[in-house]
Amino acid sequence: MFLKLAWRNIWRNKRRTLITVSSVMFAVVFALSLESLERGGHNLMVDNMTRFHTGYIQIQDSRFEDEPSLDNTITYDSSLVRRVASVSDDIEFTVPRLETFMLAAGDEQTRGAMVLGIEADAEDKMNDLRSRITAGEFFSSGNGSAVLAEGIASRLELAVGDTLVLLGQGRFGMTAAGKFAVSGLVNHPVRDMSNQLVYLSLQDAQWLTSAEDQITSLLVMPESVSESFTVAESLRSEFDGENYNILTWRQLIPELVEALEFDRAGTKLYMGILYVIIGFGIFGTILTMTLERMREFGILLAVGMHRIRLASVVFLETFFMSILGVIAGFALGSIILLYFRENPIRITGDAAEIIRDYGMEPIMPTAIAGDIFLWQGLVVFTLTIFISLYPVIKIATLNILEASRT
């Protein structure tokens, strides 16, 4: 009976109910938006760094992490690929890379460069690299051409058709030098890497560095990011006792992990402030609703209604309005987050340049995940229920005569 009475009560004054429900709804939408933008930004940074730089898991020679030299490579052949693929059904594909640093020169300019020997098809499958070609085309395996990131191409004053000279050290101290035709330019999303990255086919890179059949790392791509750590543990079990090192993206880019954790601490502070503002907003609505009904409460108690029953009905009214507000907030929040996930906010001007300097794309995407909705809805709902104790306490201590005269 209390449930039925409370449900009918909230619709006696539709305007008051809609105001209360709206205050809870907008609180949920604000909380969802802040959490989703923070999560989306972090996901974008991790995605850029893993897809274009480290991958989610790397298999390296056990000495390569401490001494990243071509002397510490692993043999790459079909048996290694089959062995890795057999470890887990969650592994989607692997990407071989031969990475080294060399001097890169054009006609008049010379710069330090990160030379990355890749299999173009596997690399494109991982990061859709071919779609980022802005001039020319991608190379074929072993055709003696190179693809440059736009940043280093600009520094070296090179364009498609020009000749790139690479000079450095090959495997076991051998001199490595070669000339490559520039077949294309790519727009790399991470500025620091754009300013130094040169792509060669894996075959050309192995020839240049005298490292036939060798790679510096085998990137392992699981079906999803969340499976990275499980797959890494399986690989460690498979290669236990052998001369391999299995690293996850959190171990490969610890600086980014620390930066994200620091940013999360700041977001928690902002969320705390937001919850305080939300709490006062909802309390103002509940307070107004309670004061408007003081005469009603006084009369009901005067004609014999028990305080506990009246307080229970009012509490249920607030409970229903909180539920309606949270559900409406989920509905409106989902529409907003879906829209901005497909159409992320683009930052322009000086702010965009500052963000690019940190190696990130100047966009603010949103993330949609079940735990975001669960936790933000739960926090706002708990906050509302806590505030709803105010009218309960007010009824428990109400002076019937004074209330009936208001």
Side-chain angles (χ1 to χ4, degrees):
M1 186 182 73
F2 286 173
L3 292 174
K4 192 174 182 180
L5 188 60
W7 180 254
R8 287 183 175 179
N9 264 349
I10 65 174
W11 298 114
R12 279 194 302 117
N13 189 332
K14 293 185 176 61
R15 183 180 176 185
R16 184 175 62 204
T17 300
L18 290 176
I19 289 173
T20 307
V21 170
S22 298
S23 68
V24 177
M25 179 187 72
F26 285 115
V28 173
V29 171
F30 283 136
L32 284 176
S33 299
L34 187 59
E35 175 75 12
S36 178
L37 282 171
E38 189 248 9
R39 185 82 66 90
H42 288 182
N43 290 346
L44 178 67
M45 282 189 277
V46 172
D47 188 61
N48 279 345
M49 290 302 292
T50 51
R51 287 196 307 120
F52 287 94
H53 187 31
T54 63
Y56 295 126
I57 303 169
Q58 281 194 19
I59 301 176
Q60 303 173 347
D61 183 274
S62 59
R63 298 160 296 184
F64 187 79
E65 187 179 17
D66 296 327
E67 188 185 348
S69 161
L70 289 175
D71 295 342
N72 301 322
T73 56
I74 58 177
T75 302
Y76 175 64
D77 54 25
S78 57
S79 63
L80 176 63
V81 175
R82 285 197 300 270
R83 189 178 175 189
V84 170
S86 65
V87 167
S88 171
D89 293 334
D90 295 326
I91 295 174
E92 189 175 5
F93 60 95
T94 55
V95 182
R97 281 181 176 175
L98 182 68
E99 177 183 331
T100 187
F101 288 88
M102 290 185 163
L103 282 176
D107 289 338
E108 298 182 359
Q109 302 291 331
T110 301
R111 291 283 187 276
M114 176 193 289
V115 178
L116 212 55
I118 60 172
E119 284 187 349
D121 291 340
E123 195 77 18
D124 184 65
K125 192 175 180 181
M126 183 175 72
N127 53 33
D128 201 18
L129 191 60
R130 284 195 174 98
S131 68
R132 289 186 169 271
I133 287 282
T134 56
E137 58 185 13
F138 229 86
F139 46 67
S140 301
S141 181
N143 70 347
S145 58
V147 170
L148 275 60
E150 286 181 334
I152 192 170
S154 174
R155 292 185 172 199
L156 295 176
E157 299 177 358
L158 291 175
V160 174
D162 292 342
T163 298
L164 169 74
V165 176
L166 292 173
L167 176 63
Q169 184 175 334
R171 199 164 179 234
F172 301 128
M174 297 179 69
T175 300
K179 294 196 297 183
F180 299 87
V182 178
S183 65
L185 304 179
V186 294
N187 174 23
H188 201 284
V190 181
R191 172 172 288 190
D192 285 347
M193 295 191 67
S194 177
N195 291 334
Q196 57 179 328
L197 195 54
V198 174
Y199 289 106
L200 298 178
S201 72
L202 182 60
Q203 187 177 350
D204 282 337
Q206 289 172 335
W207 167 81
L208 176 66
T209 58
S210 304
E212 282 74 17
D213 300 326
Q214 300 296 306
I215 57 174
T216 53
S217 58
L218 182 65
L219 281 60
V220 180
M221 301 301 291
E223 296 282 352
S224 67
V225 185
S226 59
E227 293 160 350
S228 298
F229 304 103
T230 306
V231 171
E233 283 303 317
S234 301
L235 288 168
R236 289 189 184 107
S237 300
E238 172 66 21
F239 291 100
D240 185 33
E242 299 183 44
N243 196 31
Y244 293 103
N245 196 15
I246 315 297
L247 300 170
T248 64
W249 65 270
R250 293 183 70 89
Q251 296 167 304
L252 292 163
I253 40 179
E255 302 85 2
L256 177 63
V257 174
E258 289 179 8
L260 295 182
E261 289 176 353
F262 181 78
D263 192 51
R264 283 195 190 99
T267 303
K268 286 180 181 176
L269 176 63
Y270 296 141
M271 292 299 293
I273 296 171
L274 178 63
Y275 290 144
V276 171
I277 296 172
I278 288 172
F280 275 107
I282 297 174
F283 179 72
T285 308
I286 298 291
L287 177 65
T288 305
M289 182 191 74
T290 304
L291 294 178
E292 283 179 353
R293 300 178 66 186
M294 292 301 290
R295 180 180 173 82
E296 173 191 334
F297 294 155
I299 293 173
L300 286 171
L301 293 175
V303 297
M305 190 168 186
H306 199 281
R307 287 178 189 267
I308 294 178
R309 292 179 179 176
L310 179 58
S312 300
V313 172
V314 173
F315 181 81
L316 287 172
E317 289 176 26
T318 315
F319 177 81
F320 284 140
M321 288 188 287
S322 302
I323 289 287
L324 289 173
V326 170
I327 293 173
F330 281 175
L332 181 60
S334 299
I335 294 170
I336 293 173
L337 298 186
L338 280 171
Y339 175 80
F340 283 109
R341 188 179 69 170
E342 299 302 322
N343 305 280
I345 300 168
R346 293 201 168 273
I347 303 169
T348 58
D350 293 339
E353 292 302 315
I354 293 172
I355 292 174
R356 285 195 183 95
D357 287 341
Y358 281 97
M360 296 181 286
E361 287 184 278
I363 60 175
M364 295 176 63
T366 58
I368 297 180
D371 63 315
I372 296 177
F373 284 81
L374 176 65
W375 284 110
Q376 297 308 322
L378 192 61
V379 169
V380 175
F381 178 75
T382 304
L383 198 61
T384 308
I385 293 299
F386 179 74
I387 292 170
S388 69
L389 294 177
Y390 173 76
V392 173
I393 295 171
K394 198 70 179 175
I395 290 170
T397 58
L398 190 66
N399 185 310
I400 298 175
L401 289 177
E402 288 182 3
S404 301
R405 291 171 185 162
T406 56

mmCIF file of all heavy atoms in Angstrom, residues 14 23 41 60 67 91 106 158 161 164 190-191 292 308 319 321 352 400 404:
data_model
loop_
_atom_site.group_PDB
_atom_site.id
_atom_site.type_symbol
_atom_site.label_atom_id
_atom_site.label_comp_id
_atom_site.label_asym_id
_atom_site.label_seq_id
_atom_site.Cartn_x
_atom_site.Cartn_y
_atom_site.Cartn_z
ATOM 1 N N LYS A 14 2.896 17.301 -10.610
ATOM 2 C CA LYS A 14 3.818 16.867 -11.680
ATOM 3 C C LYS A 14 4.991 17.827 -11.833
ATOM 4 O O LYS A 14 6.112 17.412 -12.102
ATOM 5 C CB LYS A 14 3.056 16.746 -13.010
ATOM 6 C CG LYS A 14 2.029 15.635 -13.039
ATOM 7 C CD LYS A 14 1.407 15.514 -14.424
ATOM 8 C CE LYS A 14 0.444 14.324 -14.502
ATOM 9 N NZ LYS A 14 -0.688 14.441 -13.564
ATOM 10 N N SER A 23 16.700 17.410 -11.744
ATOM 11 C CA SER A 23 17.941 17.724 -11.021
ATOM 12 C C SER A 23 18.808 16.475 -10.877
ATOM 13 O O SER A 23 20.037 16.532 -11.032
ATOM 14 C CB SER A 23 17.628 18.322 -9.651
ATOM 15 O OG SER A 23 17.036 17.358 -8.803
ATOM 16 N N GLY A 41 39.930 10.115 -23.146
ATOM 17 C CA GLY A 41 41.247 10.706 -23.387
ATOM 18 C C GLY A 41 42.368 9.736 -23.072
ATOM 19 O O GLY A 41 43.336 9.606 -23.831
ATOM 20 N N GLN A 60 60.752 -10.063 -26.859
ATOM 21 C CA GLN A 60 62.090 -9.569 -27.190
ATOM 22 C C GLN A 60 63.136 -10.573 -26.706
ATOM 23 O O GLN A 60 62.832 -11.484 -25.940
ATOM 24 C CB GLN A 60 62.357 -8.220 -26.491
ATOM 25 C CG GLN A 60 61.368 -7.126 -26.797
ATOM 26 C CD GLN A 60 61.624 -5.886 -25.927
ATOM 27 O OE1 GLN A 60 62.382 -5.946 -24.952
ATOM 28 N NE2 GLN A 60 60.998 -4.782 -26.290
ATOM 29 N N GLU A 67 69.700 -3.446 -22.965
ATOM 30 C CA GLU A 67 70.677 -3.058 -23.998
ATOM 31 C C GLU A 67 70.005 -3.160 -25.375
ATOM 32 O O GLU A 67 70.138 -4.170 -26.068
ATOM 33 C CB GLU A 67 71.900 -3.988 -23.944
ATOM 34 C CG GLU A 67 73.034 -3.557 -24.843
ATOM 35 C CD GLU A 67 74.190 -4.571 -24.843
ATOM 36 O OE1 GLU A 67 74.195 -5.479 -23.988
ATOM 37 O OE2 GLU A 67 75.040 -4.459 -25.726
ATOM 38 N N ILE A 91 44.846 -14.600 -29.176
ATOM 39 C CA ILE A 91 45.821 -13.870 -29.992
ATOM 40 C C ILE A 91 45.277 -13.718 -31.404
ATOM 41 O O ILE A 91 44.942 -14.708 -32.059
ATOM 42 C CB ILE A 91 47.185 -14.596 -30.013
ATOM 43 C CG1 ILE A 91 47.791 -14.601 -28.610
ATOM 44 C CG2 ILE A 91 48.134 -13.924 -31.004
ATOM 45 C CD1 ILE A 91 49.062 -15.403 -28.498
ATOM 46 N N GLY A 106 69.225 14.051 -46.254
ATOM 47 C CA GLY A 106 68.729 14.425 -47.573
ATOM 48 C C GLY A 106 69.868 15.080 -48.334
ATOM 49 O O GLY A 106 71.044 14.779 -48.092
ATOM 50 N N LEU A 158 62.758 16.544 -47.697
ATOM 51 C CA LEU A 158 62.601 15.470 -48.675
ATOM 52 C C LEU A 158 61.137 15.341 -49.092
ATOM 53 O O LEU A 158 60.234 15.583 -48.282
ATOM 54 C CB LEU A 158 63.074 14.138 -48.093
ATOM 55 C CG LEU A 158 64.587 13.988 -47.860
ATOM 56 C CD1 LEU A 158 64.882 12.667 -47.158
ATOM 57 C CD2 LEU A 158 65.335 14.066 -49.189
ATOM 58 N N GLY A 161 59.974 10.692 -54.232
ATOM 59 C CA GLY A 161 60.869 10.623 -55.390
ATOM 60 C C GLY A 161 62.296 11.001 -55.059
ATOM 61 O O GLY A 161 63.213 10.674 -55.810
ATOM 62 N N LEU A 164 66.812 9.167 -49.884
ATOM 63 C CA LEU A 164 67.154 9.215 -48.462
ATOM 64 C C LEU A 164 68.411 8.378 -48.234
ATOM 65 O O LEU A 164 68.511 7.247 -48.724
ATOM 66 C CB LEU A 164 65.991 8.651 -47.630
ATOM 67 C CG LEU A 164 66.284 8.378 -46.154
ATOM 68 C CD1 LEU A 164 66.368 9.681 -45.370
ATOM 69 C CD2 LEU A 164 65.211 7.454 -45.563
ATOM 70 N N VAL A 190 51.556 10.860 -33.442
ATOM 71 C CA VAL A 190 52.393 11.224 -32.299
ATOM 72 C C VAL A 190 53.545 12.088 -32.801
ATOM 73 O O VAL A 190 54.384 11.639 -33.569
ATOM 74 C CB VAL A 190 52.931 9.964 -31.586
ATOM 75 C CG1 VAL A 190 53.771 10.346 -30.380
ATOM 76 C CG2 VAL A 190 51.775 9.063 -31.168
ATOM 77 N N ARG A 191 53.577 13.354 -32.360
ATOM 78 C CA ARG A 191 54.513 14.315 -32.955
ATOM 79 C C ARG A 191 55.965 13.907 -32.772
ATOM 80 O O ARG A 191 56.765 14.007 -33.706
ATOM 81 C CB ARG A 191 54.284 15.700 -32.346
ATOM 82 C CG ARG A 191 55.340 16.710 -32.758
ATOM 83 C CD ARG A 191 55.018 18.099 -32.335
ATOM 84 N NE ARG A 191 53.925 18.659 -33.122
ATOM 85 C CZ ARG A 191 53.580 19.928 -33.070
ATOM 86 N NH1 ARG A 191 54.230 20.757 -32.285
ATOM 87 N NH2 ARG A 191 52.598 20.377 -33.802
ATOM 88 N N GLU A 292 7.358 23.062 1.108
ATOM 89 C CA GLU A 292 6.051 23.266 0.459
ATOM 90 C C GLU A 292 4.971 22.362 1.066
ATOM 91 O O GLU A 292 3.787 22.679 1.007
ATOM 92 C CB GLU A 292 6.166 22.970 -1.043
ATOM 93 C CG GLU A 292 6.831 24.073 -1.846
ATOM 94 C CD GLU A 292 6.941 23.719 -3.318
ATOM 95 O OE1 GLU A 292 6.618 22.556 -3.688
ATOM 96 O OE2 GLU A 292 7.345 24.584 -4.100
ATOM 97 N N ILE A 308 5.965 7.323 11.508
ATOM 98 C CA ILE A 308 6.811 6.368 10.780
ATOM 99 C C ILE A 308 6.217 6.053 9.400
ATOM 100 O O ILE A 308 6.928 5.991 8.394
ATOM 101 C CB ILE A 308 6.989 5.073 11.602
ATOM 102 C CG1 ILE A 308 7.781 5.372 12.873
ATOM 103 C CG2 ILE A 308 7.687 3.997 10.777
ATOM 104 C CD1 ILE A 308 7.985 4.173 13.781
ATOM 105 N N PHE A 319 12.675 7.993 -3.264
ATOM 106 C CA PHE A 319 13.310 6.828 -3.892
ATOM 107 C C PHE A 319 12.850 6.684 -5.346
ATOM 108 O O PHE A 319 13.660 6.514 -6.255
ATOM 109 C CB PHE A 319 12.952 5.575 -3.094
ATOM 110 C CG PHE A 319 13.478 4.307 -3.691
ATOM 111 C CD1 PHE A 319 14.788 3.914 -3.492
ATOM 112 C CD2 PHE A 319 12.652 3.490 -4.461
ATOM 113 C CE1 PHE A 319 15.273 2.746 -4.046
ATOM 114 C CE2 PHE A 319 13.128 2.322 -5.025
ATOM 115 C CZ PHE A 319 14.448 1.947 -4.817
ATOM 116 N N MET A 321 11.571 9.018 -7.284
ATOM 117 C CA MET A 321 12.068 10.127 -8.108
ATOM 118 C C MET A 321 13.563 9.958 -8.405
ATOM 119 O O MET A 321 14.028 10.324 -9.497
ATOM 120 C CB MET A 321 11.796 11.460 -7.398
ATOM 121 C CG MET A 321 10.310 11.844 -7.407
ATOM 122 S SD MET A 321 9.953 13.496 -6.779
ATOM 123 C CE MET A 321 10.212 13.254 -5.034
ATOM 124 N N ALA A 352 45.644 23.289 -29.151
ATOM 125 C CA ALA A 352 45.891 22.089 -29.966
ATOM 126 C C ALA A 352 47.389 21.852 -30.140
ATOM 127 O O ALA A 352 47.862 20.713 -30.089
ATOM 128 C CB ALA A 352 45.212 22.238 -31.318
ATOM 129 N N ILE A 400 3.257 19.490 15.202
ATOM 130 C CA ILE A 400 2.011 19.341 14.436
ATOM 131 C C ILE A 400 1.228 20.647 14.389
ATOM 132 O O ILE A 400 0.718 21.052 13.317
ATOM 133 C CB ILE A 400 1.154 18.212 15.043
ATOM 134 C CG1 ILE A 400 1.907 16.886 14.953
ATOM 135 C CG2 ILE A 400 -0.192 18.112 14.336
ATOM 136 C CD1 ILE A 400 1.190 15.734 15.626
ATOM 137 N N SER A 404 0.498 22.748 10.948
ATOM 138 C CA SER A 404 -0.866 22.843 10.448
ATOM 139 C C SER A 404 -1.274 24.284 10.178
ATOM 140 O O SER A 404 -2.167 24.559 9.368
ATOM 141 C CB SER A 404 -1.846 22.234 11.469
ATOM 142 O OG SER A 404 -1.514 20.884 11.710
#
